[in-house]
Amino acid sequence: AVKKKNPAVLLPIFPLNFVFAYQYDVGYGTLLQRIKADAENIMDTESALLELPKGPLTYEDLEKIRSQSKFLIDK
């Protein structure tokens, strides 16, 4: 790239730097700890986001959905 003065040859290296940085963070960084901390923060402070709109599912609701489903075929 330097001899031919063509910077387009170096273009594929740019996105690969992000891939390398992510893999490095997974292997040697604190990615899993940050993900766990964020999940715990959401569970503690914004638990309303995790609730189902019509409340928790019951066994009767699941059976009703299963009986109406066209994709599940019992053999």
Side-chain angles (χ1 to χ4, degrees):
V2 174
K3 287 182 181 180
K4 296 182 181 183
K5 296 183 181 180
N6 185 5
V9 177
L10 298 176
L11 194 60
I13 293 174
F14 183 70
L16 290 176
N17 284 332
F18 290 105
V19 173
F20 175 75
Y22 176 78
Q23 292 296 326
Y24 183 83
D25 192 26
V26 168
Y28 299 106
T30 60
L31 181 67
L32 292 178
Q33 288 87 8
R34 286 182 284 148
I35 290 173
K36 185 177 178 182
D38 286 343
E40 289 175 353
N41 183 31
I42 290 171
M43 288 170 46
D44 292 339
T45 61
E46 303 174 16
S47 61
L49 295 175
L50 301 175
E51 295 175 5
L52 295 174
K54 296 181 182 179
L57 286 174
T58 62
Y59 180 75
E60 290 79 19
D61 294 336
L62 288 174
E63 287 298 317
K64 182 178 171 184
I65 293 169
R66 191 175 76 100
S67 67
Q68 293 174 352
S69 177
K70 295 178 183 176
F71 298 110
L72 295 175
I73 300 173
D74 291 330
K75 290 185 180 181

